[in-house]
Amino acid sequence: MNAPLGRLAMNQATIPRWSTAQAIEGCARAGYGAIGLWRERLAPDGPGRLGARAHTAGVAISSLCRGGWFCAPDDASRRRRAADNRRAVDEAAEIGAAMLVLVCGPAATKDLAAGRREVADALAELAAYARPAGVPLAVEPMHPMYCGDRSVVVTLPQALALARSIPGGVGVVLDSYHLWWDPDLEAATAAATGAVLGVQLADWLAPPPHPLEGRGMLGDGTIELRRFLRLADATGYDGPVEVEIFNPAVWDADPEETLAVVARRFAEHVA
Amino acid sequence: MNAPLGRLAMNQATIPRWSTAQAIEGCARAGYGAIGLWRERLAPDGPGRLGARAHTAGVAISSLCRGGWFCAPDDASRRRRAADNRRAVDEAAEIGAAMLVLVCGPAATKDLAAGRREVADALAELAAYARPAGVPLAVEPMHPMYCGDRSVVVTLPQALALARSIPGGVGVVLDSYHLWWDPDLEAATAAATGAVLGVQLADWLAPPPHPLEGRGMLGDGTIELRRFLRLADATGYDGPVEVEIFNPAVWDADPEETLAVVARRFAEHVA
């Protein structure tokens, strides 16, 4: 990338006050080389026009968030989810996203092992659709506190085993917020060599203010972010590094200002 | 145990409206064979009188909560914490608790690895004091969401490695709320054979209503509690099973009623 800010990328979820078109232009103005987008924010322009707009602005689409939510209580809803995931692949292809991020869960019942098998089956099926479309699928190991309501994939070794159980086109995305606590993080990332499709950053606030909307601005929390990126890079990954912060205080701020703050904090705590 | 409710035990934190003396009597009346107590609730009677009272009532003290909080920013506070942990051992000995539960963290800085080394050193030192006193020390692997503000020990394999690095008198306590998400739970518990000092249960609510006070009544959440206890038992553990629920709705309830509800739920979802 030739962006002034180098590998630094913004995830749209950090600056929700802007429309997607505004976010793309804003990132370009601020010197960001890439942006991660969310499916529910693609209307009204649609993936085709947004992709063209980003291309013109010189901003890469580092990710499309998100597919997954594979498990279902019955066959009808399972088919609906599979169809929606194929649409997500189509959108990722059309917009030119570097990966489609997948939330792998939650389980439909208390049987966590069964939920994990269901995820593996649905992922293999989706990968067969995504491969010819040229869309890399990124399994996101999520923090274990989301095991009940979001993702049954909660560790990097587990995500990696799942991704590697499927032939081609499936990798993992490493998010500091989800993975920082792992006592075996160094070994886990070393084992992920060649399989990392993307990196996301947020800091961990202590104590956590909220299970879902408590992510911290870079530098405000407990994570050694510089070490985290070094471990991610040691896998051979050298692509964009998205900053994705779910936090009402960040959401309420002026997006222009947030882009500036993130760039400053990134230089100070990560790069 | 000859308690009418078998292995079912109550942790005092579930019924905070009662004084410790009331809680002991209440558990005896309800047929509970054991109770887990908290240090900050030992006054005004003190551990000696409370231990005698429990003995007379036929209620065992399954745990004393809690020591730990080992890491400190400087030597002076480190010495204060070590002294307080020795007092915790003395209290556990005096009251006749089956184990002293340890919260192993949080780290004093962002250097998580250094925090983990500091915990190991302080634990080894405390174990040398606890061993002649006959007080088993229980390392509690806590949910990874507490890694920033409570415990740098967040997985069972990590807790086990830590406990086994110290000669004698140190084991682990298995809490369903902290461990249920682990994709390798079966292997991890199998590896814990002989090292389990206690078991605690709470359910996981989805989505989690609060990072600290969102534990669920048995049966209200996502955990296969029966399977969890079976895995714990497969380690050779056959002692009390404490129910420990941090939840304002449970705290506000009549403790008498909570004892009855827990017994019913335990029979339905666990035993």
Side-chain angles (χ1 to χ4, degrees):
Chain A
M1 282 184 296
N2 294 312
L5 295 176
R7 299 169 67 192
L8 179 57
M10 179 54 67
N11 187 288
Q12 172 171 36
T14 311
I15 46 170
R17 282 172 51 183
W18 273 344
S19 73
T20 300
Q22 286 176 312
I24 290 169
E25 305 298 339
C27 281
R29 275 196 312 278
Y32 284 70
I35 187 169
L37 298 180
W38 283 63
R39 293 182 68 203
E40 47 267 61
R41 302 297 303 274
L42 299 185
D45 294 329
R49 284 172 60 185
L50 288 171
R53 192 156 192 159
H55 185 76
T56 305
V59 175
I61 312 292
S62 42
S63 70
L64 184 64
C65 304
R66 52 201 188 173
W69 307 96
F70 295 112
C71 307
D74 55 66
D75 280 347
S77 38
R78 195 170 293 114
R79 278 193 297 274
R80 271 196 304 277
R81 291 184 186 209
D84 186 60
N85 277 321
R86 289 193 296 273
R87 274 194 299 278
V89 167
D90 296 343
E91 290 165 7
E94 196 175 355
I95 205 167
M99 62 175 165
L100 175 64
V101 176
L102 300 176
V103 175
C104 295
T109 72
K110 288 193 191 194
D111 188 340
L112 207 45
R116 285 163 172 158
R117 286 191 298 273
E118 193 175 341
V119 163
D121 292 346
L123 176 62
E125 193 184 300
L126 186 63
Y129 182 84
R131 212 173 298 121
V135 173
L137 299 180
V139 172
E140 177 158 39
M142 292 185 81
H143 195 285
M145 77 182 163
Y146 300 122
C147 193
D149 62 328
R150 293 178 179 266
S151 175
V152 295
V153 177
V154 289
T155 72
L156 177 52
Q158 183 196 9
L160 208 57
L162 176 61
R164 289 194 170 135
S165 72
I166 294 161
V170 184
V172 298
V173 51
L174 309 182
D175 186 318
S176 59
Y177 184 82
H178 293 310
L179 299 175
W180 76 285
W181 55 270
D182 189 338
D184 296 320
L185 187 61
E186 194 162 339
T189 49
T193 295
V196 176
L197 298 175
V199 169
Q200 296 181 327
L201 298 180
D203 215 334
W204 180 272
L205 301 176
H210 188 277
L212 196 57
E213 303 179 353
R215 302 193 189 187
M217 175 57 69
L218 311 184
D220 282 355
T222 56
I223 307 179
E224 290 181 297
L225 293 167
R226 187 169 280 112
R227 173 173 179 264
F228 185 85
L229 185 56
R230 200 175 58 233
L231 293 178
D233 285 352
T235 67
Y237 181 76
D238 60 1
V241 179
E242 284 183 20
V243 175
E244 185 185 48
I245 304 173
F246 296 174
N247 186 313
V250 175
W251 293 336
D252 289 345
D254 175 7
E256 204 88 49
E257 176 63 17
T258 300
L259 286 164
V261 170
V262 164
R264 206 158 58 231
R265 294 294 189 93
F266 187 82
E268 201 176 330
H269 297 281
V270 188
Chain B
M1 283 183 295
N2 293 313
L5 295 175
R7 299 169 67 191
L8 179 57
M10 179 54 67
N11 186 289
Q12 172 173 34
T14 312
I15 46 170
R17 282 173 51 184
W18 273 344
S19 73
T20 300
Q22 285 175 312
I24 290 169
E25 306 298 339
C27 281
R29 274 197 312 278
Y32 285 69
I35 187 169
L37 297 180
W38 284 63
R39 292 182 68 203
E40 48 267 60
R41 303 295 304 273
L42 299 185
D45 293 330
R49 283 172 60 184
L50 288 169
R53 192 157 192 157
H55 185 77
T56 304
V59 175
I61 313 292
S62 42
S63 69
L64 184 63
C65 304
R66 54 201 188 171
W69 307 94
F70 294 113
C71 308
D74 55 67
D75 280 347
S77 38
R78 195 170 293 114
R79 277 194 298 274
R80 271 196 304 278
R81 291 184 185 209
D84 185 59
N85 277 321
R86 290 193 296 272
R87 273 193 299 278
V89 167
D90 296 343
E91 289 165 8
E94 197 176 354
I95 204 168
M99 62 175 165
L100 175 64
V101 176
L102 301 176
V103 174
C104 295
T109 72
K110 288 193 190 193
D111 188 339
L112 207 45
R116 284 162 173 159
R117 286 192 298 273
E118 194 175 341
V119 162
D121 291 346
L123 177 62
E125 193 184 301
L126 186 63
Y129 182 84
R131 212 173 298 120
V135 173
L137 300 180
V139 172
E140 178 158 39
M142 293 185 81
H143 195 285
M145 78 182 163
Y146 299 121
C147 193
D149 62 328
R150 295 180 178 265
S151 175
V152 295
V153 177
V154 289
T155 73
L156 178 51
Q158 183 195 11
L160 208 57
L162 176 61
R164 289 194 169 135
S165 72
I166 294 161
V170 184
V172 297
V173 52
L174 308 182
D175 186 317
S176 60
Y177 184 82
H178 293 310
L179 298 175
W180 77 284
W181 55 271
D182 190 338
D184 297 319
L185 187 61
E186 194 161 340
T189 49
T193 296
V196 175
L197 298 175
V199 169
Q200 297 181 327
L201 298 180
D203 214 333
W204 180 273
L205 301 176
H210 188 276
L212 195 57
E213 303 180 353
R215 303 194 190 186
M217 175 58 68
L218 311 183
D220 283 355
T222 56
I223 306 179
E224 290 181 297
L225 293 166
R226 187 169 279 113
R227 173 173 179 265
F228 185 84
L229 186 56
R230 202 175 56 234
L231 293 177
D233 285 352
T235 68
Y237 181 75
D238 61 0
V241 178
E242 285 183 19
V243 174
E244 184 186 49
I245 304 173
F246 296 174
N247 186 311
V250 174
W251 292 337
D252 289 346
D254 175 5
E256 203 86 51
E257 177 61 18
T258 300
L259 286 164
V261 170
V262 165
R264 206 160 55 232
R265 294 294 189 94
F266 187 82
E268 202 175 330
H269 298 281
V270 189

